[in-house]
Amino acid sequence: MNLTLKIWRQADANDKGKMVDYKVTEISEHMSFLEMMDVLNEQLVNSGKEPVAFDHDCREGICGMCSMYINGEAHGPDRGVTTCQLHMRMFKDGDTITIEPFRAKAFPVIKDLVVDRSAFDRIQHAGGYISVNTSGNTQDANSIPISKHAADEAMDAATCIGCGACVASCKNASAMLFVGAKVSQYALLPQGQIEAADRVRNMVAQMDLEGFGNCTNTGACEVECPKGISLENIARMNRELLKANI
């Protein structure tokens, strides 16, 4: 395939930034999207130009590092996949592909397609953990009875990889799906009950402090989430917050 790429280029957080057009040729439909970006960067380096900066790590849809806004959709036109799992068979020969970073006030651009998502880390630090007795008398987790339904729902919430697609796809740049998932994975389990009230209050307060918007109730976050995190987690977070404040 021969493609035209319109890519956001920005030298640093203070640079105004602009869209730049590139041509790539002989792209195989079997390539992943990031492999196509590698081809472009090799082409740029060989011609003495600055390669396009973009985040990636595992390239297996696990780490949540890759974060591109492709043709107006977080992670591109496919569903249930991250950018690294997106394949070029989703595009046609001669297509023009627009590639931008995730846009949100809380995700400032570092360079080109790389954004600073450390706001998610700070939300996690505010309460996304449980305190465990490590004195030598720690209770075996397998000895704590948990219903199959609760375990399944907690595991579904825990599949969130913190990529930020929910924020990028929301017109309010809301992080409520992310925070809802992190609150839910503990709220559904007995191990998370002791600190439940402090957890949800602290994580929601940190989310607001980071500058994320409120939920729009349009459901775009769930649609574009590569792990299919359900909106039910936002409702659960709101219930947990209400209980904690009462």
Side-chain angles (χ1 to χ4, degrees):
M1 291 187 291
N2 298 327
L3 303 165
T4 299
L5 307 178
K6 292 182 175 291
I7 301 179
W8 182 258
R9 301 302 308 264
Q10 185 172 339
D12 53 46
N14 298 317
D15 185 32
K16 186 177 180 180
K18 62 181 179 179
M19 300 297 292
V20 179
D21 291 1
Y22 299 100
K23 302 283 187 182
V24 287
T25 60
E26 299 182 8
I27 298 298
S28 168
E29 65 176 9
H30 303 299
M31 283 183 178
S32 71
F33 199 86
L34 295 191
E35 286 172 335
M36 182 275 294
M37 293 296 294
D38 291 338
V39 170
L40 169 65
N41 277 345
E42 185 176 3
Q43 178 181 305
L44 291 174
V45 169
N46 289 340
S47 60
K49 297 177 181 176
E50 182 78 13
V52 178
F54 61 91
D55 262 335
H56 63 95
D57 192 359
C58 74
R59 299 201 177 200
E60 294 180 347
I62 298 170
C63 69
M65 284 294 291
C66 55
S67 52
M68 296 184 192
Y69 205 67
I70 302 164
N71 285 349
E73 297 179 271
H75 295 304
D78 207 352
R79 287 293 171 263
V81 299
T82 55
T83 302
C84 62
Q85 296 172 301
L86 178 67
H87 281 80
M88 298 311 296
R89 65 180 71 98
M90 297 297 296
F91 304 94
K92 298 188 294 292
D93 183 40
D95 274 358
T96 296
I97 304 174
T98 302
I99 310 169
E100 301 172 84
F102 282 179
R103 304 284 191 183
K105 179 183 177 182
F107 288 168
V109 173
I110 296 174
K111 183 176 182 180
D112 295 339
L113 305 175
V114 180
V115 297
D116 181 357
R117 285 171 288 180
S118 59
F120 273 9
D121 296 331
R122 291 187 288 273
I123 292 172
Q124 281 280 75
H125 295 165
Y129 55 85
I130 60 171
S131 298
V132 177
N133 179 1
T134 58
S135 64
N137 296 316
T138 308
Q139 186 175 3
D140 190 324
N142 292 327
S143 68
I144 303 173
I146 300 171
S147 72
K148 177 72 164 58
H149 179 70
D152 286 347
E153 285 201 320
M155 183 60 73
D156 288 344
T159 59
C160 170
I161 57 176
C163 66
C166 51
V167 175
S169 60
C170 179
K171 57 190 175 185
N172 280 0
S174 172
M176 290 186 74
L177 192 68
F178 166 77
V179 180
K182 299 305 179 185
V183 167
S184 290
Q185 74 181 74
Y186 298 113
L188 288 159
L189 299 175
Q191 293 93 331
Q193 299 309 308
I194 297 172
E195 297 156 316
D198 287 341
R199 176 182 302 109
V200 69
R201 279 196 297 258
N202 292 341
M203 292 184 78
V204 170
Q206 188 64 41
M207 174 183 71
D208 292 340
L209 186 64
E210 295 294 343
F212 292 106
N214 206 348
C215 178
T216 64
N217 294 311
T218 57
C221 54
E222 181 179 356
V223 172
E224 298 198 22
C225 173
K227 300 302 176 182
I229 302 297
S230 172
L231 290 174
E232 291 177 5
N233 292 292
I234 296 178
R236 185 177 295 106
M237 177 185 70
N238 287 334
R239 291 195 298 270
E240 290 290 319
L241 183 62
L242 182 61
K243 279 196 303 183
N245 287 334
I246 290 174

